Amino acid sequence: MKKLLFVLFLSLFLGSAYAQQSKIEVKGTITEANTGALVPGATVIEKGTTNGAATDFDGNYSITVNSDATLVISFMGFTTVEVKVNGRSEISVSLKEDVASLDEIVVVGYSSLKRESLTGALQTVDGDDLRDVTTPSVENMLNGKAPGVYVAPGSGQPGSRGAVVIRGQATLSGTTSPLWVIDGVIVGSSAGELNPDDIESMTILKDAASTSIYGSQGANGVVVVTTKRAKLGKTKVSFSSKTGFNNLNNGNLQIMNGAELYDYYASFSNASQISFPRWKPELRDSNFNWWDVATQTGYTQNYNVSIQGGTETLRSYMSLGLYDEEGAVKGYDYSRYNLRYKTEYKPLDWLTIKPTLAGSFRNVDDRQYSTTAMYSNLPWDSPYDENGNLVPHRSSEWVNSASTNYLYDLQWNHSSNKNYEIMANMDFDIKLTNWLTFSSVNNYMYNSYKSNGYTDPRSNGGISVGGRITDYRSESTRRYTNQILRFNNSWNKHVVNGILAYEFNDYRGETLDVYGTGFIPGFEILDVVAKPERTKGGINEWAVQSVLFNANYAFDSKYMGQLSFRRDGASNFGDNAKYGNFFSVSGGWNIEREEWFKADWVDALKLRVAYGSVGNRPSSLYPQYDLYAVSTGAGYNENPGALISQIGNKDLTWEKTFTSGFGIDASLFNNRARLTFDYYVKNTDNILYQVPITGLTGVTSIWQNIGEMENKGIELAIGGDIISTDELTWSIDVNLGHNANKLTKLYKTKDANGDYVVRPIIVGDGLGIAGSAQRMLEPGRPVDTYYLKEWAGVNPENGLPMWYVVDRDSDGNELSRSTTSNYSQATFEKTGKVSPDVFGGFSTALSYKDFDLNAVFGYALGGKIYNYSRQEYDSDGTYTDRNQMKLRPGWSRWEKPGDIATHPIARYNNQDKGNATSTRYLEKNDFLKLRSLSLGYNIDLSQYKVDNLRVTLSGENLFVITDYSGVDPEIPSSNGAVLGSTGPGVYPSTRRFMLGLNVSF
């Protein structure tokens, strides 16, 4: 017995001694693999036990474990890592981002949901994915980033803003831009002066399930922006900069030099009739380059600094930004300063206070050289005399002696504008119970815009009035409040969450517009003018109030349903239709969670269906009222008067769009492959439009609900990690959008017999240039259909231009067609449309160790551009007061009978009408563009307390492949609207080369 006890005691002693000997203290640092930043708050656990530790503010940890233990390191948003200790005392780990986890929570309308619980069609774009292009405009950054989202970019002019269209044009009047929501605040149809560097993520809401909660403001889709907020932990300072240069990318348009233009004139069939004084052989040697004098290498610099940190009780984020760009066309300088400050203060467990302040200041100095003159001015005419002095207007030394020398006026004339924007929030959350929270969002936005213009008395525009000084000012305020009850509860396999809210949004804007003439050169204030030429001003106001409800239900994470309802009241409807109701119902099915689903290679497979409505209001603020204009034009003999200016329509009602669709989301092979597919049908009824009427009363249009429209489309996004190892990753993502639009119903009017019939409506193309293209609104056709005379080519016998004469029956069916060289005899035809059939983008990302390479492409197929500039610069001799473009490869000019040519015979002062408006100048806008290419390198400086140091070299708009003969197949937008025609002077896009630096510590 004693022997047995001795053996037992010895075993316990040795076992205890062995256990004590096998314990080891392990220390290390946890960092982010992509950036090298330290990770505070990461969890380190000894596998199979409850023994654990967390990293401190510097990402360091210390834990005592068995020498043969396995450490499990985890942190939200990153892939969990397991590391065997194997007796080591120091183990540092870099965590990789877990894409699936990062996408788990998605910000949608008024709330955030797990991605697996979503039933709507939406696309989330991470803030870092937006900053591959250098621009102060957030809209431009969405180009090619999401399926079904078409972006007409701004021009190359600094600060220009792009136009965004989601799932096709759903209205005929007003803006087609989506609604922008920034941190829960509705800000309107643009992102305003938001600093792109402040963006954490953007969610694009597209279908009824996603947008109907925004009711009358969601017809064009919604873009929900979430700005950066402070992360818990130690104070972190980040700095980023981009500096570089840019040059104009003139595309395929090449204009003639002096020798080429001389040879062109000499080839005219009636060259003997050329009679201006300088028409001599030596004119061929005159060659002033108007392009070179107006352009330069522009310079861009963008700096951002942020500081953040805090605890659960108080955390703050502040950022400062500067964007400054000197235009590639001389004389236009743009600068903008941004400030954002966000605080979250939690004095009590049930109360969180979240004040925010954001402000911006934009300044533009405009002495810009003429973009039209870069193309149009004759190379034979120099703005300088032989002594280098500027020649005055209508110089006798010029071939085009009727023209002005704009450089002469730029000695003095200039303009400038300044814009101040302030947004202030005082939001708070009150936790009423474990499942019920009250949230209050309260925002005040103030905008002040001021522009000044100076036209010198010695300049062409000022000489007749003794000079002109202009001063324009506008101030606007916008108030927004939303009081929300949020509920979120779960039991067993059931989860229910949603909101009930009241929302109010109003706007007030005031303008003052003053002109004064007659002053001594050099004075630039209105006090000095001899005559107040014009004084105008106005006030605009509108308001919208709403109640809304949204509920989401999920069972066992397999089956999801959503119901939403919103009732809007708007000030620009009469009492007969002041309120409108909008709704949606949707469902989702996570198929991979079914027990019978055995495909282990499928990580996620969801089916979504949705149906619902959104709305639109008229662009006019007071269409329901009969209005009189009390203005200068209504007065008589300097006595005030009033004239009728609008016939109201008290029965005008809401334009509504009903959207139905279904979608599929899939993630495969451990999230290495991903797919999203959507099909939708959008039917818009009660289309709002200003219908033309007889002008006998002095009013030429009235607001009415006139018809119906349909948009059908598909969206596809496919991506995958082709290679995924610890050191090498290569991924590819492709997105595609297709939308087919047609007008399905139009209002009826009386014909000559007194019968009500549907008549097409002829509208302009938005350029505002006489002689440009026109379009037709007709049931059965897209709303952007061109209505033009159809070009039939060149008569090979005599070189004259030809157009088609089409004979049709009463139903519009073609019976026959013939050609004519008489432009007035040609018939108008429906020919092509603006919007592309297919558009989108694709990107590829390659990373190896600390290096990464990223490229983003954009493309479009199937749309048409009306290239009005060719009417002036490819005119067959019709215009002799402006330069002409070179013939493109494959083009040819008729010279003798039998020639099969693309261009008619050229004559001096040609009157053959070959350059009149027709499909001759209607071109395909198909293109493939490399939007950005960047190379980055992460430098490890952790020993110097630097969390991250990253250097990038990038190029933007490096090339475009297209047959379009103009400057750029992506036509710049105009005031947020998508154009399908290009004018004579286009500010080309710029090709940029940028050096970037990011550092945080």
Side-chain angles (χ1 to χ4, degrees):
M1 183 67 181
K2 291 181 179 180
K3 184 176 181 180
L4 180 60
L5 291 173
F6 175 79
V7 172
L8 180 60
F9 174 79
L10 183 63
S11 298
L12 291 172
F13 176 79
L14 292 175
S16 175
Y18 176 78
Q20 291 176 1
Q21 290 175 357
S22 65
K23 291 289 185 179
I24 186 173
E25 183 182 16
V26 181
K27 298 180 178 180
T29 304
I30 308 300
T31 58
E32 296 182 17
N34 290 342
T35 65
L38 300 173
V39 181
T43 301
V44 182
I45 295 178
E46 182 180 2
K47 188 174 182 179
T49 72
T50 58
N51 180 31
T55 55
D56 59 19
F57 284 166
D58 296 318
N60 298 319
Y61 75 93
S62 175
I63 186 173
T64 301
V65 296
N66 291 321
S67 59
D68 61 348
T70 298
L71 299 182
V72 180
I73 300 101
S74 62
F75 189 69
M76 181 180 295
F78 293 84
T79 302
T80 299
V81 175
E82 294 188 6
V83 181
K84 291 185 177 180
V85 174
N86 290 332
R88 292 176 292 172
S89 60
E90 290 190 10
I91 299 176
S92 294
V93 175
S94 294
L95 298 179
K96 290 184 176 181
E97 290 181 342
D98 183 352
V99 177
S101 176
L102 286 175
D103 287 346
E104 185 179 6
I105 302 298
V106 179
V107 179
V108 293
Y110 300 97
S111 60
S112 300
L113 295 173
K114 288 186 177 181
R115 180 171 290 277
E116 67 176 14
S117 301
L118 295 173
T119 58
L122 52 84
Q123 187 80 22
T124 300
V125 183
D126 186 73
D128 291 336
D129 294 333
L130 295 168
R131 289 183 277 275
D132 60 311
V133 294
T134 308
T135 172
S137 168
V138 174
E139 288 88 341
N140 294 342
M141 293 182 161
L142 281 176
N143 210 334
K145 298 298 193 307
V149 180
Y150 179 78
V151 180
S155 69
Q157 187 178 66
S160 62
R161 191 180 302 277
V164 181
V165 178
I166 298 175
R167 290 190 168 183
Q169 181 178 339
T171 185
L172 295 180
S173 63
T175 180
T176 58
S177 300
L179 179 71
W180 289 80
V181 180
I182 301 177
D183 289 337
V185 177
I186 294 175
V187 298
S189 58
S190 78
E193 301 296 334
L194 176 65
N195 182 5
D197 199 71
D198 284 335
I199 296 175
E200 183 73 33
S201 67
M202 294 173 66
T203 305
I204 303 159
L205 311 180
K206 298 184 284 189
D207 71 341
S210 303
T211 62
S212 64
I213 194 65
Y214 289 99
S216 65
Q217 302 177 85
N220 299 316
V222 182
V223 181
V224 179
V225 180
T226 303
T227 61
K228 295 176 181 177
R229 57 178 292 203
K231 297 179 181 178
L232 296 177
K234 70 168 187 176
T235 300
K236 181 177 181 179
V237 179
S238 299
F239 172 79
S240 68
S241 72
K242 276 187 176 182
T243 57
F245 58 89
N246 56 81
N247 292 293
L248 295 182
N249 182 6
N250 199 37
N252 290 326
L253 176 60
Q254 297 184 41
I255 56 176
M256 295 182 181
N257 60 31
E260 292 165 335
L261 189 63
Y262 183 90
D263 293 342
Y264 172 63
Y265 272 51
S267 71
F268 288 160
S269 62
N270 60 345
S272 60
Q273 297 181 14
I274 303 175
S275 58
F276 56 84
R278 290 184 61 196
W279 181 243
K280 301 172 183 178
E282 52 267 28
L283 182 62
R284 194 175 191 276
D285 299 326
S286 297
N287 184 36
F288 185 82
N289 195 317
W290 287 91
W291 175 274
D292 284 350
V293 79
T295 61
Q296 64 182 0
T297 297
Y299 182 69
T300 303
Q301 48 187 339
N302 187 18
Y303 304 105
N304 292 279
V305 61
S306 67
I307 181 170
Q308 62 172 305
T311 65
E312 287 284 358
T313 302
L314 178 64
R315 64 171 107 173
S316 298
Y317 172 90
M318 185 178 73
S319 71
L320 294 170
L322 165 64
Y323 184 95
D324 184 85
E325 184 173 353
E326 183 182 67
V329 176
K330 294 177 182 176
Y332 194 92
D333 297 326
Y334 173 99
S335 60
R336 189 177 75 185
Y337 301 85
N338 283 88
L339 164 70
R340 182 170 295 272
Y341 180 76
K342 298 176 71 173
T343 291
E344 295 181 36
Y345 177 47
K346 193 172 183 178
L348 303 167
D349 289 341
W350 53 268
L351 176 63
T352 304
I353 303 171
K354 299 181 289 187
T356 301
L357 178 66
S360 69
F361 167 64
R362 185 187 72 224
N363 183 58
V364 173
D365 184 21
D366 186 1
R367 301 171 185 261
Q368 183 176 291
Y369 283 45
S370 171
T371 53
T372 300
M374 294 183 340
Y375 304 104
S376 65
N377 279 17
L378 295 176
W380 299 327
D381 298 335
S382 172
Y384 304 101
D385 61 21
E386 57 186 11
N387 297 319
N389 300 314
L390 288 167
V391 300
H393 302 303
R394 290 164 285 279
S395 171
S396 60
E397 299 178 6
W398 281 19
V399 172
N400 182 15
S401 57
S403 183
T404 60
N405 178 11
Y406 80 89
L407 290 178
Y408 186 79
D409 286 353
L410 273 185
Q411 295 178 95
W412 312 292
N413 295 353
H414 62 90
S415 65
S416 64
N417 65 76
K418 295 177 173 63
N419 190 81
Y420 298 86
E421 183 178 278
I422 298 174
M423 289 181 61
N425 272 57
M426 179 53 73
D427 306 342
F428 59 89
D429 296 337
I430 298 176
K431 186 177 180 181
L432 302 175
T433 68
N434 289 333
W435 58 272
L436 185 63
T437 302
F438 173 74
S439 297
S440 181
V441 178
N442 306 283
N443 172 265
Y444 184 86
M445 182 188 300
Y446 172 79
N447 186 280
S448 175
Y449 175 83
K450 176 183 178 180
S451 67
N452 302 95
Y454 174 82
T455 304
D456 194 88
R458 295 161 290 184
S459 68
N460 184 65
I463 193 169
S464 63
V465 293
R468 177 177 288 111
I469 294 174
T470 65
D471 193 345
Y472 176 85
R473 305 185 183 203
S474 71
E475 287 187 341
S476 65
T477 57
R478 187 163 181 164
R479 298 181 299 176
Y480 175 87
T481 184
N482 197 336
Q483 313 305 315
I484 311 173
L485 276 176
R486 305 181 189 274
F487 55 93
N488 189 345
N489 204 357
S490 62
W491 67 97
N492 299 329
K493 296 182 178 181
H494 307 276
V495 177
V496 177
N497 60 71
I499 62 170
L500 177 64
Y502 169 79
E503 182 178 273
F504 179 82
N505 195 358
D506 71 353
Y507 169 91
R508 177 184 172 90
E510 300 183 16
T511 61
L512 179 64
D513 190 7
V514 181
Y515 285 15
T517 58
F519 53 87
I520 300 171
F523 289 91
E524 299 188 16
I525 57 174
L526 285 166
D527 269 355
V528 304
V529 301
K531 178 183 178 182
E533 183 182 30
R534 181 175 95 178
T535 303
K536 297 178 67 176
I539 298 176
N540 289 317
E541 295 179 309
W542 57 259
V544 176
Q545 69 172 349
S546 314
V547 291
L548 51 130
F549 168 78
N550 174 264
N552 300 274
Y553 170 76
F555 175 75
D556 198 21
S557 298
K558 295 179 184 178
Y559 316 110
M560 290 79 65
Q562 175 184 272
L563 176 67
S564 68
F565 174 81
R566 180 174 179 129
R567 181 171 173 83
D568 281 342
S571 61
N572 49 353
F573 284 109
D575 292 338
N576 294 355
K578 190 168 293 291
Y579 285 89
N581 298 323
F582 309 93
F583 74 95
S584 74
V585 57
S586 60
W589 178 22
N590 285 322
I591 303 173
E592 85 284 355
R593 295 183 180 273
E594 297 289 353
E595 294 181 2
W596 49 264
F597 191 83
K598 302 298 182 182
D600 295 336
W601 51 276
V602 177
D603 304 303
L605 180 62
K606 180 194 290 182
L607 176 66
R608 297 176 279 102
V609 293
Y611 177 76
S613 63
V614 286
N616 199 16
R617 309 194 306 273
S619 56
S620 174
L621 295 183
Y622 319 107
Q624 70 271 39
Y625 299 127
D626 295 331
L627 298 180
Y628 286 83
V630 181
S631 63
T632 304
Y636 176 74
N637 196 25
E638 296 187 355
N639 292 313
L643 290 175
I644 185 171
S645 63
Q646 177 175 288
I647 298 175
N649 183 354
K650 63 181 180 180
D651 295 320
L652 193 70
T653 190
W654 299 80
E655 180 180 289
K656 288 190 177 182
T657 298
F658 294 86
T659 302
S660 57
F662 71 88
I664 298 173
D665 301 319
S667 179
L668 316 171
F669 308 113
N670 291 324
N671 297 315
R672 288 187 59 180
R674 45 203 173 266
L675 176 147
T676 298
F677 172 83
D678 278 281
Y679 171 79
Y680 63 87
V681 179
K682 295 170 60 176
N683 290 297
T684 303
D685 63 12
N686 290 321
I687 293 175
L688 292 163
Y689 195 72
Q690 284 187 282
V691 178
I693 60 175
T694 177
L696 292 176
T697 63
V699 179
T700 57
S701 65
I702 182 174
W703 278 97
Q704 290 184 355
N705 300 102
I706 68 166
E708 299 175 2
M709 185 195 308
E710 178 187 79
N711 283 277
K712 287 183 179 180
I714 60 172
E715 298 166 352
L716 178 65
I718 302 175
D721 299 328
I722 310 302
I723 301 174
S724 181
T725 66
D726 291 338
E727 292 188 339
L728 178 63
T729 302
W730 177 34
S731 64
I732 295 177
D733 288 276
V734 181
N735 71 74
L736 172 152
H738 163 72
N739 184 79
N741 168 281
K742 70 176 179 180
L743 192 66
T744 56
K745 186 178 179 181
L746 201 58
Y747 70 100
K748 294 182 179 181
T749 58
K750 282 186 179 181
D751 63 8
N753 298 322
D755 299 324
Y756 282 93
V757 296
V758 174
R759 292 182 178 179
I761 300 175
I762 309 301
V763 297
D765 62 358
L767 275 185
I769 298 176
S772 186
Q774 58 188 15
R775 302 180 194 165
M776 171 179 279
L777 300 177
E778 182 182 49
R781 296 187 180 276
V783 296
D784 55 358
T785 298
Y786 288 104
Y787 188 58
L788 301 167
K789 295 191 176 187
E790 193 171 353
W791 178 251
V794 179
N795 190 324
E797 299 302 319
N798 54 24
L800 292 177
M802 297 191 302
W803 301 269
Y804 284 110
V805 180
V806 181
D807 185 28
R808 299 181 182 276
D809 61 21
S810 59
D811 295 325
N813 299 311
E814 182 175 331
L815 300 177
S816 64
R817 66 172 47 209
S818 58
T819 61
T820 181
S821 292
N822 186 336
Y823 180 79
S824 63
Q825 294 178 356
T827 53
F828 282 94
E829 303 295 323
K830 299 98 173 179
T831 54
K833 59 182 177 61
V834 176
S835 54
D837 294 327
V838 178
F839 60 92
F842 59 91
S843 62
T844 182
L846 179 68
S847 64
Y848 177 70
K849 293 186 177 179
D850 294 321
F851 288 92
D852 55 82
L853 181 68
N854 297 273
V856 179
F857 296 81
Y859 66 90
L861 298 168
K864 294 290 184 67
I865 292 175
Y866 186 77
N867 191 356
Y868 171 83
S869 65
R870 283 183 55 200
Q871 283 189 228
E872 299 197 10
Y873 308 140
D874 188 19
S875 66
D876 312 322
T878 302
Y879 293 121
T880 58
D881 60 348
R882 63 208 70 179
N883 203 354
Q884 297 294 290
M885 64 184 290
K886 300 178 186 179
L887 296 186
R888 295 271 299 136
W891 291 2
S892 60
R893 175 81 61 188
W894 188 94
E895 296 178 353
K896 61 184 184 303
D899 283 352
I900 305 300
T902 59
H903 283 55
I905 186 172
R907 294 189 177 94
Y908 188 67
N909 287 325
N910 197 338
Q911 300 301 310
D912 294 337
K913 298 289 186 181
N915 75 320
T917 310
S918 76
T919 58
R920 175 185 179 184
Y921 303 124
L922 191 62
E923 303 185 39
K924 294 180 179 179
N925 73 344
D926 302 348
F927 70 88
L928 172 64
K929 179 179 287 189
L930 177 55
R931 300 200 186 282
S932 66
L933 178 67
S934 63
L935 175 66
Y937 178 61
N938 295 308
I939 304 173
D940 184 6
L941 294 178
S942 56
Q943 67 270 31
Y944 301 108
K945 303 298 183 180
V946 176
D947 294 342
N948 174 52
L949 178 63
R950 175 176 170 79
V951 180
T952 58
L953 179 63
S954 62
E956 302 170 19
N957 290 326
L958 296 183
F959 70 79
V960 58
I961 300 173
T962 183
D963 288 332
Y964 173 62
S965 66
V967 172
D968 194 332
E970 291 189 288
I971 296 179
S973 61
S974 174
N975 297 321
V978 177
L979 296 178
S981 302
T982 180
V986 176
Y987 198 124
S989 62
T990 55
R991 180 183 291 112
R992 301 176 187 266
F993 295 93
M994 306 295 295
L995 178 65
L997 174 69
N998 295 72
V999 60
S1000 60
F1001 48 87

